[in-house]
């Protein structure tokens, strides 16, 4: 009795925990072989998603990367198995709210590629056609680049290349004309830009430029050395 009272006086409680005590975790149920039963975690299959909703998500992911034309979005939807009918409905709606605007795309493309890469109208027209822009829409965007602007850009490109150009004037001439041709400049514009730039570079280059017949060379553009077109 003295030992039992001593233990009680020291604050011990030897009584077993009561059922439902908050400090006692519940015991897992056990199966027939004594193993704890796993909770049922199998998810209910999700219902099939609406095709239009999927199409919209595809379009928005495409547009998050960069602006797209209607034709580019239509191709992306077809690749993912979206029916043509649903694709047309989604893209028509995007046209209405201005999310897809081929005219705005064409204007931005022309401005960016002409300023950043120095591409001429012919090259820009080809790029817009590859992206499915209607010819009339592309033409309106390309009208923002007139002949004077195109000639000025060609000359600026040549001047920049001449700073590091090495070799005889005739070789430099052919390389630079080839560079402008690859960027879509007409032969006459390219030849005149290079001739004028050479004339202003040095006495030797100016003497060479004096003997260049720009009109005759423009007519004979296809006879230029093909190797020069492989250089930029």
């Amino acid at each position: 009795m003295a030992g039992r009272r001593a233990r009680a006086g020291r604050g011990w409680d030897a009584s077993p925990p009561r059922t439902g005590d908050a400090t006692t975790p519940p015991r897992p149920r056990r199966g027939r072989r004594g193993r704890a039963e796993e909770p049922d975690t199998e998810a209910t299959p999700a219902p099939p998603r609406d095709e239009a909703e999927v199409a919209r998500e595809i379009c928005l992911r495409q547009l998050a990367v960069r602006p797209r034309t209607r034709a580019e979005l239509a191709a992306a939807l077809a690749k993912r198995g979206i029916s043509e009918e649903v694709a047309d409905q989604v893209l028509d709606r995007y046209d209405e709210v201005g999310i897809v605007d081929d005219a705005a795309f064409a204007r931005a493309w022309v401005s960016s590629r002409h300023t950043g890469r120095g591409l001429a109208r012919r090259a820009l027209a080809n790029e817009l056609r590859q992206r499915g822009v209607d010819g009339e829409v592309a033409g309106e965007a390309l009208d923002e680049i007139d002949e004077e602007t195109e000639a000025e850009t060609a000359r600026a490109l040549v001047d920049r290349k001449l700073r590091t150009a090495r070799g005889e004037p005739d070789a430099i001439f052919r390389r630079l004309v080839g560079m402008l041709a690859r960027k879509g400049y007409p032969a006459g514009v390219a030849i005149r830009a290079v001739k004028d730039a050479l004339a202003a570079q040095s006495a030797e280059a100016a003497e060479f430029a004096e003997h260049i017949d720009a009109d005759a060379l423009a007519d004979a553009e296809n006879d230029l050395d093909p190797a020069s077109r492989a250089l930029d």
Side-chain angles (χ1 to χ4, degrees):
M1 289 296 290
R4 189 176 301 175
R5 282 197 301 271
R7 286 196 298 270
R10 288 159 59 182
W12 292 358
D13 187 357
S15 60
R18 291 172 296 176
T19 303
D21 192 305
T23 61
T24 305
R27 295 182 179 180
R29 293 181 301 164
R30 297 189 175 275
R32 294 180 179 179
R33 298 183 179 180
R35 291 180 299 180
E37 295 181 356
E38 297 293 336
D40 185 8
T41 58
E42 184 177 354
T44 304
R49 298 182 63 192
D50 179 64
E51 188 179 12
E53 180 184 354
V54 175
R56 287 190 291 270
E57 289 186 2
I58 294 172
C59 289
L60 292 177
R61 284 198 299 270
Q62 292 283 313
L63 292 168
V65 178
R66 68 165 175 82
R68 309 274 180 174
T69 64
R70 178 176 177 127
E72 288 179 313
L73 292 175
L77 293 175
K79 186 177 180 179
R80 294 289 299 274
I82 302 299
S83 67
E84 185 176 353
E85 180 182 1
V86 171
D88 285 340
Q89 292 174 357
V90 171
L91 294 177
D92 284 346
R93 179 56 181 164
Y94 280 2
D95 279 335
E96 292 176 6
V97 299
I99 295 178
V100 177
D101 187 340
D102 280 5
F105 175 93
R107 290 192 299 270
W109 186 272
V110 167
S111 176
S112 173
R113 300 286 283 177
H114 179 72
T115 303
R117 295 286 305 280
L119 298 185
R121 289 168 51 93
R122 184 168 58 187
L124 292 168
N126 184 53
E127 289 186 343
L128 291 175
R129 181 169 56 252
Q130 291 176 348
R131 284 155 181 77
V133 178
D134 177 75
E136 184 176 350
V137 173
E140 292 177 357
L142 292 168
D143 284 343
E144 298 182 7
I145 303 176
D146 55 26
E147 294 181 0
E148 182 178 356
T149 300
E150 198 167 58
E152 291 175 353
T153 305
R155 176 60 188 273
L157 288 169
V158 172
D159 287 341
R160 187 160 63 244
K161 288 289 185 179
L162 273 177
R163 295 171 192 158
T164 56
R166 298 291 182 271
E168 296 299 320
D170 61 336
I172 294 174
F173 173 80
R174 287 184 287 110
R175 288 202 303 269
L176 294 180
V177 169
M179 178 268 292
L180 291 178
R182 290 193 300 277
K183 290 182 178 291
Y185 288 90
V189 173
I191 292 170
R192 289 187 182 89
V194 179
K195 176 181 178 178
D196 293 345
L198 287 174
Q201 185 190 36
S202 66
E204 181 184 6
E207 183 180 356
F208 171 80
E210 286 181 3
H211 297 87
I212 296 175
D213 187 338
D215 293 331
L217 285 176
D219 292 337
E221 178 195 20
N222 294 331
D223 294 332
L224 290 174
D225 182 4
S228 67
R229 296 181 180 276
L231 301 174
D232 189 351

